[in-house]
Amino acid sequence: MPLYKAPRIPSSEITPRSFYLKRRELLGLAAGGLVAASASPVLASPLAAKASAYKVDEELTPKESVTTYNNFYEFGLGKDDPAAKSGAFKPTPWTVEVGGMVAKPKTFGLEDLMKTFPIEERIYRMRCVEAWSMVIPWDGFPLAALLNAVEPTSEAKYVAFESVVRPEEMPGQSGVFQSLPWPYVEGLRLDEAMHPLTLLAVGLYGETLPNQNGAPIRLVVPWKYGFKGIKSIVKITLTDKQPPSTWNIANPSEYGFYSNVNPAVDHPRWSQATERRIGTGGFFGTARVDTLPFNGYANEVADLYKGMDLKVNF
Ligand code: MTE
């Protein structure tokens, strides 16, 4: 099921800012109770985040591009669908159930998580398997902090993640045509999950996550292709078996479990040697730059894969 199209970014696919702002104003009315409360989304609000040493010194992708050029199939297949069709999605209240092979399973409320774990701002290079990339200031906390709190047992070897299923709020989950099996699922090896770079993001650009970017909480693993960054997480399970991952289920010959960014291993249908850096070279520009092994994070993470054949474990 080859859903990923060849990378292509016509400006017509990007929601014009004026439209976007109008929509936000409308949503603001809804949040203020002036529109039927049943469809009242929560507006982005400022986050208190401390600066972190984890930041790449590269030009940031404009917030407009980060929030209007998305992949979130629960809201449709088009890049502009998530921003255009996620207005009815309600990211609060929210809980994340953390269990499986842990000593202290617990269901965390979102506010509880944000109070317990200090939020950091980190600037990460993000590489999509479709060969485009962005540089995004995320706000979040290390996944390791949450995992340590529930105390993984010695049998735990992997971490499985699950996204929310809400066909009534997510148009891509209802209707006759279903693009993917739901829920969207992902997985990491436990050492990958515990790596200090692995982030649970609750915001970007200093504000709570917009719905289209995976509100209210999503995974960010900067040395892997973007699809590993599962959005709107409701469940995290420690396990001794390699967890299923949605794109691997959909098309195992094209998308592996590891999905580490690797310019030396091409996608069967396109090269991974270079990428289009969205937002450089002018407004919505797309300069082409070389893709780096592990997306430039090799010094930090290459040791995790010592002795592994990365062509086989793609
Ligand atoms: N998570 C869920 N639940 N559903 C999705 O369709 N798409 C993935 C990933 N997480 C996806 C998801 C893909 S293919 C990418 S490239 C990134 O989210 C895109 O994140 P962004 O839109 O914030 O850039």
Side-chain angles (χ1 to χ4, degrees):
M1 192 167 48
L3 282 172
Y4 275 130
K5 292 182 225 141
R8 187 179 64 93
I9 308 149
S11 55
S12 60
E13 276 197 13
I14 297 167
T15 311
R17 184 173 161 77
S18 55
F19 171 78
Y20 174 72
L21 290 175
K22 279 217 185 68
R23 216 185 122 256
R24 298 303 297 228
E25 281 162 22
L26 253 181
L27 301 185
L29 286 179
L34 298 171
V35 175
S38 64
S40 62
V42 175
L43 278 182
S45 46
L47 281 171
K50 59 175 176 135
S52 142
Y54 293 99
K55 47 159 89 173
V56 294
D57 189 17
E58 288 173 45
E59 191 183 337
L60 297 184
T61 303
K63 189 173 160 191
E64 284 76 10
S65 311
V66 176
T67 57
T68 59
Y69 191 79
N70 300 102
N71 280 327
F72 201 166
Y73 285 74
E74 285 87 335
F75 294 108
L77 301 184
K79 299 289 182 239
D80 51 358
D81 281 337
K85 299 181 180 172
S86 63
F89 182 71
K90 292 193 279 290
T92 53
W94 194 270
T95 57
V96 182
E97 183 188 337
V98 190
M101 294 174 162
V102 299
K104 296 181 172 168
K106 183 173 171 182
T107 296
F108 294 85
L110 184 71
E111 276 160 25
D112 188 13
L113 286 174
M114 289 171 64
K115 263 188 241 137
T116 310
F117 304 110
I119 311 289
E120 297 172 24
E121 185 187 77
R122 296 183 172 197
I123 301 175
Y124 281 167
R125 212 180 283 117
M126 304 300 300
R127 173 61 156 79
C128 178
V129 75
E130 295 168 303
W132 47 268
S133 60
M134 298 189 182
V135 177
I136 303 181
W138 296 107
D139 302 283
F141 56 89
L143 173 61
L146 174 60
L147 296 180
N148 285 330
V150 296
E151 298 178 12
T153 65
S154 57
E155 299 99 83
K157 298 285 179 284
Y158 295 91
V159 184
F161 304 85
E162 212 177 289
S163 292
V164 72
V165 179
R166 284 192 199 163
E168 62 289 355
E169 294 175 23
M170 303 178 120
Q173 287 184 334
S174 55
V176 183
F177 173 71
Q178 295 293 301
S179 55
L180 292 170
W182 313 114
Y184 194 100
V185 291
E186 256 307 338
L188 294 173
R189 236 171 42 193
L190 183 58
D191 57 349
E192 298 177 319
M194 296 296 279
H195 192 280
L197 280 169
T198 304
L199 198 70
L200 281 173
V202 293
L204 57 82
Y205 268 100
E207 295 182 350
T208 53
L209 273 185
N211 286 348
Q212 59 268 34
N213 292 92
I217 184 163
R218 59 91 55 90
L219 186 66
V220 178
V221 192
W223 72 93
K224 292 179 180 282
Y225 292 117
F227 65 85
K228 297 294 284 186
I230 182 172
K231 296 175 166 182
S232 305
I233 298 167
V234 290
K235 197 170 174 186
I236 298 176
T237 309
L238 285 281
T239 163
D240 57 357
K241 291 179 191 66
Q242 183 175 298
S245 57
T246 288
W247 283 99
N248 180 250
I249 296 169
N251 196 337
S253 64
E254 296 194 356
Y255 308 107
F257 173 76
Y258 283 95
S259 297
N260 293 317
V261 174
N262 191 343
V265 177
D266 286 338
H267 185 277
R269 289 181 286 130
W270 57 80
S271 166
Q272 294 291 26
T274 62
E275 62 203 50
R276 291 157 61 94
R277 178 63 56 84
I278 293 175
T280 52
F283 193 61
F284 285 157
T286 52
R288 191 163 276 285
V289 296
D290 285 343
T291 292
L292 301 171
F294 298 105
N295 202 24
Y297 297 95
N299 285 344
E300 288 92 338
V301 303
D303 274 1
L304 294 173
Y305 310 101
K306 230 191 277 169
M308 277 175 70
D309 183 340
L310 298 176
K311 285 199 163 70
V312 176
N313 297 284
F314 60 97

